[in-house]
Amino acid sequence: MSTRSFLGSVLTFSLVAPSLVLAWACSQSPSSGGDDGIAHATAAEELQGSWQSNCRDAEKFGLTESSKLEVTGTSAVQVTSASSTGSCGTTAVVITQNARFSAGSANGQGRALDITVTAVKVKPLTETGVGILNLAAFCGITDWQAGVERDVTGSTGGRSCFPQLPKTFYDIFSVDEGKLFFGKGDNSSQATRPQTIDKARSFTRS
């Protein structure tokens, strides 16, 4: 669910080169039994439910974006809406990501979170969104149409598309006063797992 458009964490994709969507999901199973198993279960429980992110700059084409995150059990769906009108107004493109995750023990300023993104779909809603995707030949597609969702999972890893899926991100998270935060920094490997929380990007229970 980088940074991040999910689950924030925040895993990050872009409309021209991987980075507009906060990526999410996990590969490891929580420990069973003992205090550590209880801690993992409690951490996973904190993530359950519906979360809505704040609005932020997408850093491409002057777009802004926000994400809705749905967490059930160890599965998550993140829907990111990119707007071309500023302040997350009219949505130009919607990106839906499916992921699975595992919440772990305390790590840095939060708890470890391994997220494995397994599928991604893209749908332009306006002619501006269509133009952006077609101009970039996003995921190898040049005939994007408004209102038509395309499953691009099989095209990931190619030029102007998302990283090859499935892909695991190694993040941290924290829930503080009803807000969900993810780590700040490189979450592409266990060795580079973030140690600090990104307070600029937050999700609120919805």
Side-chain angles (χ1 to χ4, degrees), residues 85-97:
T85 59
S87 302
C88 296
T90 302
T91 299
V93 179
V94 173
I95 302 173
T96 302
Q97 297 177 86

Side-chain angles (χ1 to χ4, degrees), residues 68-81:
K68 172 104 175 183
L69 181 62
E70 291 282 348
V71 182
T72 305
T74 57
S75 297
V77 177
Q78 176 174 293
V79 179
T80 297
S81 299

Side-chain angles (χ1 to χ4, degrees), residues 5-201:
S5 298
F6 211 81
L7 244 193
S9 205
V10 117
L11 327 166
T12 311
F13 293 146
S14 147
L15 285 178
V16 172
S19 129
L20 171 73
V21 181
L22 163 92
W24 246 90
C26 309
S27 61
Q28 299 179 2
S29 300
S31 170
S32 58
D35 293 340
D36 194 45
I38 294 174
H40 287 200
T42 300
E45 288 173 4
E46 288 186 293
L47 295 169
Q48 302 301 300
S50 301
W51 301 86
Q52 177 65 52
S53 79
N54 58 337
C55 180
R56 64 180 288 169
D57 291 338
E59 301 179 358
K60 293 290 182 182
F61 307 109
L63 298 175
T64 53
E65 58 98 1
S66 64
S67 296
K68 172 104 175 183
L69 181 62
E70 291 282 348
V71 182
T72 305
T74 57
S75 297
V77 177
Q78 176 174 293
V79 179
T80 297
S81 299
S83 171
S84 59
T85 59
S87 302
C88 296
T90 302
T91 299
V93 179
V94 173
I95 302 173
T96 302
Q97 297 177 86
N98 291 79
R100 62 182 183 275
F101 72 93
S102 171
S105 303
N107 192 295
Q109 294 182 346
R111 286 187 174 277
L113 183 69
D114 292 350
I115 304 160
T116 300
V117 179
T118 58
V120 58
K121 296 178 180 179
V122 179
K123 179 167 69 173
L125 296 182
T126 66
E127 289 307 314
T128 297
V130 169
I132 290 173
L133 295 175
N134 282 334
L135 180 64
F138 195 63
C139 294
I141 300 171
T142 57
D143 61 347
W144 291 93
Q145 298 177 32
V148 179
E149 184 176 65
R150 310 283 282 267
D151 187 334
V152 298
T153 305
S155 300
T156 58
R159 184 177 179 182
S160 297
C161 196
F162 302 98
Q164 181 70 53
L165 299 184
K167 180 173 178 60
T168 299
F169 297 85
Y170 302 90
D171 215 326
I172 59 173
F173 79 96
S174 175
V175 176
D176 184 18
E177 296 184 350
K179 290 189 175 182
L180 172 63
F181 301 92
F182 294 96
K184 182 178 183 179
D186 183 3
N187 61 1
S188 61
S189 71
Q190 290 181 318
T192 62
R193 187 190 300 274
Q195 296 296 299
T196 59
I197 291 295
D198 182 3
K199 290 292 186 178
R201 174 72 168 181

